[in-house]
Amino acid sequence: GENVEQHPSTLSVQEGDSAVIKCTYSDSASNYFPWYKQELGKRPQLIIDIRSNVGEKKDQRIAVTLNKTAKHFSLHITETQPEDSAVYFCAARASGSARQLTFGSGTQLTVLP
Amino acid sequence: KAGVTQTPRYLIKTRGQQVTLSCSPISGHRSVSWYQQTPGQGLQFLFEYFSETQRNKGNFPGRFSGRQFSNSRSEMNVSTLELGDSALYLCASSLGVAGIKREQYFGPGTRLTVT
């Protein structure tokens, strides 16, 4: 089955700096890669996703890049703000009714004011 | 449009008991997935239902079971509870299992504590 590895497990950045979280996946058939943000005590929220037919997607301060050849994808947050502090999860899924969404282990991002 | 709802939000049970958790997906969503979230193990996939059929199952013992009703609402049951079952149980809904409409949206979770 799919295995998703996520790094780093913790990340501290100064407010205004950029943050990058990286994930690798094992199943070459995976073609959908969402990112979730989970604030303390709250549900995971989908913040951005990318499909395998594109290499990069941006949404304001957030961007995701995908390298299918290397089987890795990354989340980039620019101009970080204290409210960006949360746990971020990457995930991967292949198409087909028998494929599940497999999550990475999460990254605790702390933005220092 | 209302989001995913889960009931109850909190539960305290003792070892050996059983528990049933409920999840109501976003209106129009036909797929419901269940996850167990613990500090040490992250988000672990339990199972996924689509049109009342279990489409996929994670690596959990048979004590964990689920079902989906014709209105897409889903229940999850855990029998013979163990201390290690203490966790946040999250459900997530999406329009479909395969194809393009596979974005999953999570409910607030049910916090289960087993004593």
Side-chain angles (χ1 to χ4, degrees):
Chain A
E2 176 67 278
N3 181 48
V4 177
E5 293 192 359
Q6 184 172 346
H7 300 280
S9 56
T10 60
L11 178 61
S12 293
V13 299
Q14 290 294 136
E15 182 176 359
D17 286 351
S18 295
V20 180
I21 302 170
K22 299 181 179 181
C23 289
T24 60
Y25 61 98
S26 60
D27 187 351
S28 57
S30 288
N31 56 6
Y32 174 63
F33 307 92
W35 286 88
Y36 287 85
K37 173 184 179 183
Q38 187 175 27
E39 297 175 77
L40 189 63
K42 297 190 176 181
R43 74 187 76 186
Q45 297 270 12
L46 178 68
I47 57 172
I48 195 167
D49 58 13
I50 191 168
R51 292 176 172 83
S52 59
N53 56 343
V54 297
E56 184 177 7
K57 184 177 178 180
K58 289 183 179 179
D59 183 3
Q60 300 182 343
R61 297 185 297 107
I62 294 174
V64 57
T65 58
L66 171 65
N67 183 326
K68 284 210 71 178
T69 302
K71 290 192 282 188
H72 68 71
F73 56 112
S74 301
L75 178 71
H76 305 253
I77 306 174
T78 59
E79 301 173 18
T80 53
Q81 302 167 2
E83 52 265 39
D84 294 330
S85 295
V87 178
Y88 291 80
F89 292 96
C90 64
R93 180 172 184 163
S95 61
S97 61
R99 304 298 186 106
Q100 67 193 57
L101 192 63
T102 301
F103 284 82
S105 54
T107 296
Q108 173 68 62
L109 173 65
T110 303
V111 180
L112 305 169
Chain B
K1 188 180 279 192
V4 180
T5 58
Q6 291 185 246
T7 57
R9 294 292 312 279
Y10 303 92
L11 262 180
I12 300 176
K13 291 285 188 178
T14 56
R15 278 180 298 175
Q17 288 186 313
Q18 74 164 21
V19 66
T20 299
L21 313 181
S22 180
C23 172
S24 292
I26 292 171
S27 178
H29 284 195
R30 297 171 62 192
S31 172
V32 174
S33 297
W34 288 89
Y35 297 88
Q36 181 194 65
Q37 186 174 32
T38 57
Q41 298 296 320
L43 278 159
Q44 300 290 311
F45 172 77
L46 281 155
F47 26 66
E48 180 174 23
Y49 287 87
F50 180 79
S51 292
E52 302 178 64
T53 301
Q54 187 180 88
R55 293 302 180 104
N56 206 354
K57 191 176 190 303
N59 296 323
F60 278 81
R63 301 185 295 107
F64 292 81
S65 63
R67 59 178 176 168
Q68 187 179 35
F69 302 95
S70 58
N71 61 357
S72 294
R73 189 178 70 86
S74 177
E75 286 183 349
M76 188 192 103
N77 184 275
V78 188
S79 62
T80 319
L81 284 166
E82 300 176 359
L83 293 178
D85 297 333
S86 295
L88 179 67
Y89 289 88
L90 292 159
C91 79
S93 76
S94 61
L95 274 172
V97 172
I100 297 175
K101 301 296 183 182
R102 63 183 76 146
E103 297 91 344
Q104 287 191 350
Y105 298 90
F106 282 86
T110 293
R111 173 73 62 186
L112 172 64
T113 302
V114 182
T115 62

